[in-house]
Amino acid sequence: MIAYLLRRLLFTVPVLIGISLITFVLIYFLPADPARMYAGPNASVEAVNRIRTQLGLDQPFYVQYGRYLERAVQGDLGYSYQLQMPVTQAILSRFPYTLQLTLAGIFVELLIGVPAGLLAASRRSTWLDGTSMVASLIGVSSPPFWLGLLMLYFFAFRLGLFPLGGAGSWQHLILPAVTAGLGGAGWYARMTRSSALEVLSADYVRTARSKGLAGGQVLRRHVLRNAINPIVTMVGMDIPWFIGGVVLIETVFAWPGIGRMMVDAILTDDVPLILGTVTFTAVLVVVSSIIIDIVQAMLDPRIRLR
Amino acid sequence: MHPSRRPVTLRAIVLSILVSVVLAACGGGGASELGPADQGTSPPQATQPEPGGNPPSAGGDIPRGGTLTIAYKDDLATLDPAVGYDWTNWPAEKMVFDGLLDYDDTTNLQPRLAESMPEVSLDATVYTFRLRQGVTFHNGREVTADDVAYSITRVLDPQTKSPGSGFYTGIAGAQDFIDGKADSVSGIRVVDPRTIEFTLESPDVTFGNKMALNFAFIVPKEEVERLGENFGHNPVGTGPFLFREWIAGRQLTFERNPNYFFEGLPYLDQVVIQVGVEPEVALLRLERGEIDSMGDPIPAAEFARIKDDDAWQGRLTSAPQVSTIYITMNTQMKPFDNVQVRRAMNMAIDKERIIRLLGGRGTVANQILPPLMPGYDQDYQGYEYNPDQARQLLADAGYPNGFSTTMECIAVEPQPKLCESFQQDLSKIGVQVQVQTLAASTVIADGGTEGKVPLVWSGGLGWIQDYPDPDDFYTPILSCVAAVPGGWNWPWYCNQDLEQKAQQAIGTTDTEQRLGLYREIYRTLMDEAVWIPVYNGQYDIAHSDKLVGKETDFAHPEHTIRYERLAKQP
């Protein structure tokens, strides 16, 4: 297990170098000028040139990348042009929000998706199955931006039950988490259903039934426990999605997470911040996949980490 | 925010979030336009009444106290006046800092940290400022001439990476200092603790305007050195508000400076700037009374809904922006090297339709300078909209069947829609335009690359004046100096005669004579048809009915919002 962990962590190093290099190359060859973006449209050409020199953007590609790596190894991800603060500080100040939204969003997904999927599977081909699958299809297909605005309009603006976006209290978290969770819940419901259907036809379920266990107990103790693995994998895939992909939800709800910061960085050619957030997200993806592997091994004795 | 909408962009591949980016565009958010207004020239010699004498609302008792909450979409980058240069931080910096000079309700210069207007030598090369007595920084120390010298030198210092350094390179010795050949700027001289003298390389009557820009705000050396890179997030100045708190990505808080040197100002106890709020959501918050004003333009669809709504009476303030939005034609690229073609293009655009597409937020432009800019030519008619004559001109120029060309345009609504309108207009005279919608940074980079793009639509990028002087529409965007890689002379037009005339104008102290020179310059540029001026912009500010202030306090030409002059009814 420890050897496994060490090997996985070691494998992270080339992954991170690869990702940062690819990102660096792509930014470098973009037709935009980061120095101009830093200086703003009205700055004079000489001022922009001076800034370019100061930022080291006039150096050849390999020098710039080399300097970046050298500093990154020492834990210095550079200084954001647009936020005017160290990239590490910017990421750390936003990450708690992203983490909150991620955990709350996944909670909503599981809370709605798993029971709906189990229900649909156990009442296969009934109206319950049909209804929950149609509902999940609607959930999956609703654009989060639109859904978020609707939520805000009805629950915050019309009914005044929640704040109109922003962050700072648990009330602020509910609407974005539900918006993020509703879409995802659809995926979970469908995944749980098909996984549970597979398990339902297994011999040990028939055995459990024939020894007289009640339907609910069969579902909880046998079906869910065996159908849970794909769901855990999905949670693992969800974490990076939440970190990089909930931009729209963060945008609608004025949620100060990393996703929005990353898009802003891309739109303003804030090179250090783009590199920093991409690398940070990559680390999170690797870390969350390791955690998921461990959790799966714990849940399913048939899986061994080697 | 300038989302990209190119079919396949590199960054989209890298980060696979193109969808998010494009949809984020739905949030809108125009370009930052620090637009200005008003005629009235600004001879630096004119002495104006003290700002303290201008109450914010017409007559009556001005309410005091209360908190103004305003919401913006984009986060503020910094409050360091040497660095910040955009729509959100520009007015916020004015809460914390002051410059030697400032503007009155319109665009006339008046003293601020200076006791009076500067003494200017006859040839406009030496400016002497005397400081107001007893003004203190928020840390309690008195402001001296050394602080002024330090602040301007700091902007010139390449280490500061100030986008505004270009404004002050005309000070004698500035270039040597930048190049590291001198430890200080020889043209900046502290005469005594309350007097400072600036000597310029060549005459410049706009120097007073430059000293009223945020870049020339006075900062305390000891705080800048103590806070280092963090100064922009913990600003200390002399201004009407004290900086209190900055929660990254969420909000900033400012409190009234009880010792402000203009007696009576400011009226509010507190200002809270919320960031990261989409304009659609900001409007909902405003309707629910959670905020007092939205900082960004009202989204077009919402504007159409509320502008005739009785419930919004008295809660919308409109003011003209001193901006011109235009199409540039690259005079070095065929067929736009032919002036007849450029004139034909000028006659082919239906500008009225653009105003309709904008929901009436703007007025048709017929020349380069906007109507409220000194030097605007009242008698000039411009090119009329006449597709038949345009077709004739094209035929005369040797293009009876028209031609094909490309236009770049930023991918933020409503710009692509406007570009489609130009496309239709031009197809009527046989010019087939391929519109490319791109990220703002790409359009700016392409415009500043020689021989790269034939046509650029400046919507969302348009030239925003820094100060109310006609030079600000020539030197930075239409002069030979700006026709360089990375510059803003996107027509790549360089005319030595005009260059000389502009040199002459910048040293001419007689206002009438000077404006006359500019009228000649801008008429020539229109004859040469280097741009198609399309419209002049307009501010529309949505705010609560509790907020009191004059139109220019909500949308001042140089400040945009003037926090120090707004008041709030309990």
Side-chain angles (χ1 to χ4, degrees):
Chain A
M1 168 101 166
I2 289 175
Y4 166 81
L5 269 183
L6 280 176
R7 210 172 50 246
R8 283 294 298 264
L9 285 175
L10 211 63
F11 185 65
T12 318
V13 176
V15 169
L16 291 183
I17 293 181
I19 285 178
S20 65
L21 183 63
I22 294 171
T23 315
F24 208 94
V25 170
L26 291 175
I27 300 172
Y28 185 80
F29 290 106
L30 274 184
D33 178 1
R36 168 56 77 184
M37 291 308 284
Y38 172 95
N42 284 32
S44 65
V45 178
E46 320 95 80
V48 174
N49 290 339
R50 277 194 287 278
I51 288 167
R52 186 175 298 116
T53 311
Q54 281 295 321
L55 297 176
L57 294 168
D58 54 345
Q59 298 291 322
F61 169 77
Y62 56 91
V63 176
Q64 287 189 39
Y65 184 63
R67 282 183 185 168
Y68 177 77
L69 270 192
E70 191 187 326
R71 282 200 315 261
V73 170
Q74 299 163 27
D76 175 8
L77 291 177
Y79 196 79
S80 157
Y81 306 159
Q82 291 300 322
L83 299 177
Q84 290 284 314
M85 61 165 83
V87 169
T88 322
Q89 189 189 330
I91 291 176
L92 292 181
S93 71
R94 300 292 186 93
F95 182 60
Y97 295 106
T98 302
L99 193 64
Q100 270 179 36
L101 184 55
T102 305
L103 295 179
I106 292 177
F107 178 73
V108 173
E109 288 177 337
L110 292 173
L111 192 72
I112 302 173
V114 173
L118 279 179
L119 198 66
S122 64
R123 304 274 190 281
R124 193 181 178 185
S125 305
T126 63
W127 63 271
L128 251 172
D129 185 17
T131 314
S132 61
M133 285 307 103
V134 168
S136 77
L137 193 66
I138 293 174
V140 168
S141 345
S142 317
F145 195 84
W146 169 81
L147 191 62
L149 274 178
L150 279 187
M151 290 264 189
L152 270 184
Y153 185 76
F154 285 107
F155 296 107
F157 181 68
R158 282 277 155 176
L159 302 175
L161 297 174
F162 299 100
L164 273 159
S169 70
W170 63 270
Q171 287 99 328
H172 286 98
L173 183 58
I174 291 180
L175 287 184
V178 169
T179 307
L182 275 184
W187 291 115
Y188 278 84
R190 299 177 90 80
M191 173 69 84
T192 309
R193 176 178 179 270
S194 62
S195 171
L197 281 177
E198 218 172 274
V199 178
L200 274 172
S201 59
D203 293 343
Y204 54 84
V205 172
R206 209 173 42 228
T207 310
R209 284 214 176 113
S210 57
K211 74 180 181 186
L213 270 182
Q217 284 216 349
V218 174
L219 273 184
R220 267 198 312 279
R221 287 179 47 187
H222 295 277
V223 178
L224 184 58
R225 281 198 69 172
N226 285 289
I228 206 162
N229 244 325
I231 302 172
V232 173
T233 312
M234 222 166 137
V235 171
M237 284 155 50
D238 241 11
I239 293 171
W241 181 78
F242 263 94
I243 284 155
V246 288
V247 179
L248 297 179
I249 291 167
E250 290 181 359
T251 304
V252 178
F253 290 100
W255 190 261
I258 282 185
R260 212 180 77 207
M261 187 171 78
M262 180 153 77
V263 169
D264 285 346
I266 294 165
L267 297 176
T268 51
D269 283 309
D270 190 341
V271 181
L273 194 57
I274 299 176
L275 282 168
T277 43
V278 170
T279 314
F280 183 75
T281 313
V283 172
L284 285 176
V285 172
V286 173
V287 169
S288 63
S289 78
I290 295 176
I291 294 175
I292 293 301
D293 281 353
I294 296 172
V295 171
Q296 274 180 335
M298 280 158 59
L299 289 174
D300 188 340
R302 285 168 301 184
I303 299 177
R304 288 277 169 273
L305 298 177
R306 272 193 301 249
Chain B
M1 303 254 302
H2 305 295
S4 159
R5 205 186 265 177
R6 241 183 328 178
V8 182
T9 63
L10 293 172
R11 43 188 114 185
I13 301 169
V14 194
L15 299 150
S16 15
I17 52 170
L18 182 69
V19 178
S20 330
V21 176
V22 173
L23 280 172
C26 306
S32 33
E33 304 210 350
L34 287 177
D38 196 273
Q39 46 260 81
T41 59
S42 5
Q45 294 84 354
T47 309
Q48 295 298 323
E50 293 219 330
N54 285 332
S57 57
D61 286 328
I62 304 152
R64 290 194 166 272
T67 299
L68 181 161
T69 308
I70 185 167
Y72 282 96
K73 176 167 177 288
D74 290 336
D75 206 344
L76 272 75
T78 177
L79 290 173
D80 184 339
V83 180
Y85 203 4
D86 60 47
W87 158 266
T88 42
N89 56 28
W90 196 258
E93 284 167 16
K94 290 177 192 285
M95 279 197 264
V96 185
F97 299 94
D98 292 294
L100 294 179
L101 302 180
D102 190 24
Y103 294 94
D104 63 3
D105 281 348
T106 63
T107 51
N108 300 303
L109 282 171
Q110 62 178 20
R112 192 153 179 122
L113 278 182
E115 185 179 72
S116 54
M117 291 303 287
E119 256 175 57
V120 185
S121 67
L122 279 178
D123 62 350
T125 57
V126 183
Y127 283 70
T128 312
F129 293 87
R130 184 137 177 90
L131 288 183
R132 192 181 286 274
Q133 191 161 23
V135 176
T136 55
F137 285 114
H138 297 158
N139 64 9
R141 184 174 68 75
E142 189 168 339
V143 180
T144 68
D146 283 323
D147 293 307
V148 180
Y150 170 74
S151 302
I152 306 299
T153 309
R154 177 170 177 261
V155 171
L156 285 166
D157 186 345
Q159 294 279 341
T160 311
K161 301 191 281 284
S162 172
S165 57
F167 291 113
Y168 309 98
T169 41
I171 299 173
Q175 198 56 51
D176 281 350
F177 172 74
I178 290 169
D179 296 342
K181 290 180 199 155
D183 291 340
S184 61
V185 182
S186 60
I188 305 179
R189 191 167 75 90
V190 174
V191 180
D192 65 50
R194 283 183 56 208
T195 313
I196 186 153
E197 184 188 272
F198 293 92
T199 308
L200 310 182
E201 295 278 3
S202 56
D204 180 4
V205 295
T206 65
F207 189 69
N209 296 109
K210 291 169 182 169
M211 292 306 285
L213 289 174
N214 286 14
F215 300 114
F217 281 0
I218 310 306
V219 296
K221 183 179 180 182
E222 69 276 15
E223 299 292 340
V224 175
E225 286 177 351
R226 183 172 70 84
L227 294 159
E229 280 181 340
N230 266 327
F231 181 70
H233 289 96
N234 294 279
V236 180
T238 54
F241 290 90
L242 309 168
F243 168 78
R244 267 286 159 267
E245 190 190 24
W246 189 319
I247 309 176
R250 280 171 52 192
Q251 68 175 40
L252 293 85
T253 311
F254 302 85
E255 267 165 28
R256 196 171 87 88
N257 176 0
N259 305 315
Y260 195 52
F261 60 88
F262 279 147
E263 202 132 328
L265 286 183
Y267 300 98
L268 295 159
D269 277 345
Q270 202 180 45
V271 174
V272 174
I273 300 180
Q274 299 178 343
V275 296
V277 187
E278 287 294 301
E280 284 83 359
V281 177
L283 197 68
L284 292 180
R285 285 191 187 177
L286 184 57
E287 288 195 70
R288 275 190 71 87
E290 290 179 17
I291 59 173
D292 301 293
S293 182
M294 56 182 287
D296 296 306
I298 307 160
E302 302 292 325
F303 183 71
R305 171 174 71 86
I306 65 176
K307 76 174 171 186
D308 300 319
D309 185 345
D310 286 342
W312 279 89
Q313 285 297 312
R315 295 164 67 189
L316 287 175
T317 300
S318 295
Q321 237 176 35
V322 187
S323 65
T324 303
I325 325 292
Y326 49 84
I327 301 168
T328 60
M329 290 176 278
N330 193 324
T331 59
Q332 293 185 358
M333 290 175 83
K334 278 196 180 306
F336 301 107
D337 54 342
N338 185 329
V339 67
Q340 294 289 69
V341 172
R342 302 199 296 263
R343 287 179 185 148
M345 297 280 288
N346 259 287
M347 304 185 83
I349 302 296
D350 183 356
K351 301 174 187 174
E352 296 285 357
R353 185 167 62 192
I354 296 298
I355 305 296
R356 283 198 301 277
L357 287 172
L358 291 167
R361 286 192 279 185
T363 46
V364 167
N366 66 4
Q367 58 187 286
I368 290 167
L369 293 183
L372 298 177
M373 181 63 116
Y376 176 79
D377 202 334
Q378 297 285 354
D379 305 324
Y380 183 74
Q381 298 298 319
Y383 296 92
E384 61 166 333
Y385 172 55
N386 190 337
D388 292 332
Q389 210 181 325
R391 224 172 329 197
Q392 188 57 49
L393 274 174
L394 270 192
D396 294 348
Y399 297 95
N401 301 316
F403 53 86
S404 296
T405 186
T406 320
M407 178 184 289
E408 285 193 4
C409 184
I410 73 164
V412 177
E413 283 305 327
Q415 312 309 337
K417 207 163 61 189
L418 305 185
C419 285
E420 280 166 27
S421 173
F422 300 140
Q423 197 177 27
Q424 282 177 29
D425 288 343
L426 291 168
S427 74
K428 286 185 197 152
I429 64 163
V431 177
Q432 304 308 324
V433 181
Q434 193 204 341
V435 174
Q436 296 187 330
T437 50
L438 303 164
S441 53
T442 311
V443 178
I444 293 172
D446 286 355
T449 306
E450 199 165 1
K452 176 95 185 191
V453 232
L455 303 172
V456 182
W457 166 236
S458 84
L461 304 164
W463 185 248
I464 305 124
Q465 66 141 26
D466 295 294
Y467 46 81
D469 189 278
D471 173 64
D472 205 36
F473 271 75
Y474 180 77
T475 305
I477 47 174
L478 286 163
S479 67
C480 298
V481 182
V484 293
W488 271 70
N489 186 336
W490 296 344
W492 290 86
Y493 178 81
C494 169
N495 180 332
Q496 292 301 338
D497 288 346
L498 295 186
E499 208 71 358
Q500 276 177 13
K501 222 172 253 183
Q503 270 300 319
Q504 188 191 339
I506 203 139
T508 305
T509 43
D510 182 288
T511 307
E512 266 320 299
Q513 196 189 340
R514 185 156 182 270
L515 295 183
L517 282 168
Y518 281 114
R519 282 191 197 99
E520 288 174 31
I521 291 175
Y522 288 112
R523 279 216 186 195
T524 310
L525 286 166
M526 284 308 292
D527 283 346
E528 289 285 304
V530 298
W531 283 8
I532 306 170
V534 178
Y535 75 95
N536 304 114
Q538 180 181 317
Y539 285 121
D540 287 282
I541 311 283
H543 53 85
S544 85
D545 47 8
K546 290 211 174 94
L547 219 51
V548 250
K550 285 178 297 196
E551 185 187 284
T552 55
D553 299 329
F554 286 103
H556 186 275
E558 306 299 328
H559 295 216
T560 64
I561 184 163
R562 287 209 285 183
Y563 294 107
E564 63 178 36
R565 292 184 174 274
L566 289 172
K568 193 176 170 183
Q569 281 164 349

